[in-house]
C-alpha cells in the first residue's frame, strides 16, 4: 500500500530568514571591522560580546563613562533609492561619537545594529564598511554589532541602522554649561553639508519640486543624490586635539563647552550648553551658507526660521572657549583642515539687549538663551 508523502514543514528559510546570508555578510565585513581594532581590544570578531581593556582608567582620579546612541534618520531612504550604502555608516558614527566628545570624553568603543527585511550580504557589508572606516578615522574600535532580518515587518529592500558608543572623561574635565562664563567666545566649525538631520523636510521639498535624485545641479557641482549622501563631517579628533593641546592638570580647561549641531538646528543645540543667566549672540552674517541649504529654501519656499530650526546651515560643531585661547582654537582647527570662524560671544543676560530671534528652553534643558541676529549670506 502506497503512503502519501508528508507535507513539507515550515522552515526558518521559508519564513523569510536566510541565516547563510547573514554568515556571508559577516565574512564580507570582517576585514573592515578588524581594521578598527586598537591594542586595547581583547579577542576578535564574532564573539557574543566585545571586550576592551580599560586598565588605563586606573590612572584617572575619577573616571566617568559617557554614552550615546543614535541613528541616521530618513537619510537611509536616499541611500536605498540610489543603491549606495557605503556612506551612511560615517553618518552613524558622526551622530553617535561626536555626541560623546561634546562632554570632553574620549571614545572607547562603538557598536552598531542593522535591521533589514532581507539580508543582502554585499549591502550589509557596504554599510558596515562605512561604519568601520569612520570608526578608524576617529580612533574608535567597532567592537560589536548585530544584523537582524525582519521579514514581514520590513520590505525586502528596507533597512535601518543604529549605533551606540561609550567614552571616558575625568570628572573634573567634563565640559558643559557649568563651565561657561560671561565673555566666552563661540568658535564655529563648518559642516560638510546636510549631515544627517532634517531629511524628512529635504526629501519632501525635492519631491514637491519634481526633482529626481539623479538631477545635476550646477550650483552644487554634482547631482542632488550625491549632495544628499555627502557624509557627516567627523569632529572627534580635532576636538580631542584641542582639549589635549590647551588643557593642563594644573588649570581648568579653557574650552568650556562643545555643542554638536544636530536635530533642531544651531540655536537649539547651543542653548543646551549655556547656563541660566547667560545669553549667546550668533551673527548670521559671520559665515556663508552652503548652496544646498539655500537650494532647499528656494525649492520649497521654506521660511528661514523653519530652516534655521531644522538644519545646521553650515555649522556642525561649536566650541565655547575662554577668549584668551580663541585664536589658538582657530589655529588648531585650521591645522586639521577644519573650517572655523568666530560665531559670536556669551554675555550676562541681565545686561544684554536681544536684537534677533531668541531661543531657549530646548531639548528639555532649562538653561541659557541664544540670540540669532542679522541676515544670512548665500552664494
Amino acid at each position: 500500500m502506497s503512503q502519501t508523502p508528508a507535507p513539507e514543514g515550515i522552515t526558518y528559510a521559508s519564513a523569510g530568514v536566510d541565516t547563510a546570508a547573514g554568515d556571508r555578510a559577516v565574512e564580507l565585513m570582517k576585514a573592515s571591522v578588524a581594521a578598527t581594532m586598537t591594542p586595547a581590544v581583547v579577542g576578535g570578531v564574532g564573539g557574543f560580546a566585545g571586550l576592551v581593556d580599560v586598565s588605563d582608567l586606573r590612572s584617572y582620579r575619577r573616571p566617568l563613562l559617557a554614552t550615546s546612541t543614535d541613528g541616521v534618520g530618513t537619510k537611509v531612504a536616499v541611500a536605498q533609492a540610489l543603491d549606495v550604502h557605503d556612506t551612511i555608516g560615517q553618518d552613524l558614527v558622526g551622530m553617535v561619537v561626536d555626541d560623546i566628545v561634546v562632554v570632553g570624553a574620549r571614545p572607547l568603543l562603538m557598536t552598531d545594529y542593522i535591521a533589514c527585511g532581507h539580508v543582502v550580504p554585499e549591502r550589509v557589508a557596504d554599510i558596515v564598511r562605512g561604519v568601520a572606516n569612520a570608526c578608524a578615522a576617529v580612533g574608535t574600535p567597532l567592537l560589536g554589532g548585530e544584523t537582524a532580518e525582519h521579514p514581514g515587518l520590513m520590505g525586502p529592500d528596507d533597512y535601518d541602522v543604529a549605533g551606540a558608543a561609550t567614552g571616558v572623561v575625568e570628572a573634573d574635565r567634563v565640559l558643559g554649561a557649568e563651565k561657561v562664563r560671561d565673555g566666552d567666545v563661540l568658535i564655529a566649525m563648518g559642516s560638510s553639508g546636510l549631515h544627517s538631520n532634517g531629511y524628512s523636510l529635504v526629501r519632501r521639498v525635492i519631491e514637491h519640486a519634481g526633482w529626481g535624485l539623479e538631477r545635476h545641479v550646477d550650483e552644487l557641482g554634482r547631482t542632488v543624490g550625491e549632495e544628499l549622501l555627502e557624509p557627516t563631517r567627523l569632529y572627534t579628533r580635532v576636538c580631542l586635539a584641542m582639549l589635549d593641546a590647551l588643557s593642563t592638570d594644573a588649570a581648568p580647561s579653557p574650552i568650556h563647552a562643545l555643542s554638536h549641531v544636530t536635530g533642531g538646528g544651531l540655536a537649539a543645540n547651543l542653548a543646551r550648553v549655556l547656563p541660566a543667566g547667560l545669553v549667546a549672540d550668533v551673527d548670521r552674517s559671520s559665515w556663508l551658507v552652503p548652496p544646498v541649504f539655500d537650494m532647499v529654501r528656494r525649492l520649497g519656499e521654506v521660511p528661514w526660521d523653519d530652516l534655521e530650526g531644522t538644519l545646521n546651515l553650515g555649522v556642525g560643531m561649536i566650541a565655547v572657549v575662554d577668549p584668551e585661547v580663541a585664536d589658538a582654537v582657530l589655529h588648531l582647527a585650521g591645522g586639521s583642515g577644519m573650517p572655523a570662524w568666530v560665531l559670536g560671544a556669551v554675555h550676562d543676560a541681565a545686561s544684554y539687549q536681544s536684537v534677533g530671534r531668541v531661543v531657549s528652553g530646548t531639548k528639555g534643558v532649562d538653561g541659557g538663551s541664544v540670540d540669532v541676529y542679522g541676515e544670512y549670506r548665500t552664494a
Side-chain angles (χ1 to χ4, degrees), residues 259-292:
S259 175
H260 191 196
V261 182
T262 55
L266 186 158
N269 284 287
L270 179 57
R272 300 167 69 182
V273 299
L274 300 176
L278 293 183
V279 56
D281 72 82
V282 171
D283 182 1
R284 294 186 180 106
S285 68
S286 65
W287 78 97
L288 191 66
V289 175
V292 64

Side-chain angles (χ1 to χ4, degrees), residues 6-371:
E8 184 178 344
I10 296 173
T11 64
Y12 207 13
S14 68
V17 177
D18 188 344
T19 56
D23 290 341
R24 173 63 177 156
V26 171
E27 287 299 318
L28 291 174
M29 70 178 72
K30 280 176 68 174
S32 297
V33 174
T36 73
M37 298 305 169
T38 65
V41 174
V42 178
V45 177
F48 282 93
L51 299 172
V52 60
D53 185 344
V54 293
S55 299
D56 287 350
L57 300 193
R58 288 179 297 194
S59 64
Y60 282 66
R61 297 179 298 278
R62 186 187 170 204
L64 301 181
L65 293 180
T67 185
S68 176
T69 186
D70 208 340
V72 300
T74 61
K75 190 169 185 174
V76 297
V78 181
Q80 291 166 3
L82 292 173
D83 196 24
V84 175
H85 312 283
D86 60 352
T87 62
I88 59 168
Q90 179 164 323
D91 296 297
L92 182 63
V93 174
M95 291 299 102
V96 176
V97 176
D98 284 341
D99 275 0
I100 291 287
V101 80
V102 159
V103 297
R106 187 177 303 276
L108 295 172
L109 61 95
M110 181 164 175
T111 59
D112 64 4
Y113 174 79
I114 303 170
C116 58
H118 175 65
V119 171
V120 178
E122 293 76 14
R123 183 165 59 204
V124 172
D126 279 351
I127 297 169
V128 175
R129 184 171 70 253
V131 176
N133 288 345
C135 279
V138 297
T140 304
L142 181 56
L143 201 57
E146 173 71 8
T147 300
E149 203 165 18
H150 293 161
L153 181 64
M154 305 176 75
D157 293 323
D158 292 339
Y159 66 81
D160 198 9
V161 297
T166 298
V168 63
V169 59
E170 190 73 75
D172 60 6
R173 295 295 179 183
V174 174
L175 306 183
E178 65 278 2
K179 304 288 179 68
V180 178
R181 301 287 181 266
D182 178 17
D184 280 354
V185 174
L186 308 177
I187 303 295
M189 292 176 239
S191 71
S192 57
L194 293 165
H195 283 188
S196 192
N197 300 106
Y199 271 72
S200 294
L201 169 64
V202 174
R203 290 169 50 243
R204 180 69 184 92
V205 166
I206 299 299
E207 178 186 8
H208 176 75
W211 283 20
L213 295 175
E214 73 288 348
R215 182 188 182 108
H216 187 275
V217 180
D218 289 343
E219 63 194 279
L220 302 178
R222 54 182 168 178
T223 67
V224 173
E226 288 169 336
E227 180 69 34
L228 266 55
L229 282 187
E230 177 66 32
T232 299
R233 175 167 277 151
L234 302 172
Y235 299 94
T236 291
R237 277 201 185 275
V238 68
C239 289
L240 290 176
M242 290 174 181
L243 291 168
D244 289 343
L246 300 174
S247 301
T248 67
D249 290 336
S253 171
I255 298 177
H256 297 153
L258 293 168
S259 175
H260 191 196
V261 182
T262 55
L266 186 158
N269 284 287
L270 179 57
R272 300 167 69 182
V273 299
L274 300 176
L278 293 183
V279 56
D281 72 82
V282 171
D283 182 1
R284 294 186 180 106
S285 68
S286 65
W287 78 97
L288 191 66
V289 175
V292 64
F293 299 101
D294 198 42
M295 181 195 78
V296 171
R297 182 186 67 84
R298 289 183 285 102
L299 274 184
E301 299 182 345
V302 183
W304 272 115
D305 281 357
D306 195 72
L307 209 68
E308 186 175 86
T310 306
L311 306 176
N312 69 65
L313 295 184
V315 180
M317 182 74 79
I318 302 168
V320 186
V321 308
D322 186 295
E324 292 188 0
V325 301
D327 287 342
V329 169
L330 289 170
H331 178 74
L332 287 165
S336 298
M338 180 74 68
W341 64 93
V342 174
L343 185 68
V346 178
H347 311 272
D348 183 343
S351 59
Y352 179 81
Q353 183 64 47
S354 298
V355 294
R357 174 174 173 255
V358 177
V359 177
S360 60
T362 62
K363 308 282 185 174
V365 177
D366 185 16
S369 304
V370 177
D371 180 23

